[in-house]
Each structure stands twice: as structure tokens, then as C-alpha cells.
């Protein structure tokens, strides 16, 4: 997944502070960002758990350092 690529290539994303992860089949509306930032105040992550196996796993907003710190968890899901 994209998250695996992010944690495997941290030097490529050194200037990124936040990541929003969602499926490529999703669409968002005009008030998406204001709603997200209003309801998602719980960083370092405001998302479904990184290790959830359901089809919607890991969708949400992540602090980049949180992803870096969770590298082992993300890589454990690679090719799983």
C-alpha cells in the first residue's frame, strides 16, 4: 500500500507533516477538510487502526512522525 511506501522511503517525504489516507474509490465534498479538522483533533492519528484487517483499514489522518514510529506495524502488513 501507499503507507508501506511512505515508511520504506522516509527521505522522500522529509517535508511532510501530515498524511491523509483514503481509498482511491472515495470522493469528498466541498466541506470535507473543515469537517475532518473539526472532528479529528486526536493526532498523532485520527483513523481506523493501522492493523485493522477490514476493507477500510487505516483510512484517516496521520501525523508523519507517528507513521515513522509505527514502521514495524506497517511493514508487518506488507504482503499479508
Amino acid at each position: 500500500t501507499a503507507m508501506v511506501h511512505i515508511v520504506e522511503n522516509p527521505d522522500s517525504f522529509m517535508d511532510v507533516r501530515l498524511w491523509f489516507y483514503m481509498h482511491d474509490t472515495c470522493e469528498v465534498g466541498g466541506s470535507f477538510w473543515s469537517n475532518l479538522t473539526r472532528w479529528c483533533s486526536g493526532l498523532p492519528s485520527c483513523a481506523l487502526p493501522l492493523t485493522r484487517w477490514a476493507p477500510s483499514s487505516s483510512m484517516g489522518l496521520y501525523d508523519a512522525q507517528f507513521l515513522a514510529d509505527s514502521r514495524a506495524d506497517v511493514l508487518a502488513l506488507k504482503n499479508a
Side-chain angles (χ1 to χ4, degrees), residues 34 37 40 64 68 70 79-80:
S34 63
T37 55
C40 186
S70 302
N79 297 324

Side-chain angles (χ1 to χ4, degrees), residues 6-7 10 63-72 74:
I6 290 167
V7 300
D63 178 86
Q65 188 59 53
F66 173 78
L67 280 183
D69 294 344
S70 302
R71 185 178 198 277
V74 173

Side-chain angles (χ1 to χ4, degrees), residues 5-6 9-19 64-65 68:
H5 181 75
I6 290 167
N9 299 281
D11 293 340
S12 298
F13 306 106
M14 291 176 59
D15 296 329
V16 177
R17 291 185 15 225
L18 294 173
W19 288 101
Q65 188 59 53

Side-chain angles (χ1 to χ4, degrees), residues 20 28-42 46 61:
F20 184 78
V28 298
S31 58
F32 170 76
W33 188 252
S34 63
N35 282 332
L36 177 70
T37 55
R38 180 175 53 159
W39 296 107
C40 186
S41 60
C46 182
L61 183 65

Side-chain angles (χ1 to χ4, degrees), residues 53 71-80:
W53 289 95
R71 185 178 198 277
D73 292 330
V74 173
L75 293 179
L77 298 174
K78 186 176 179 177
N79 297 324

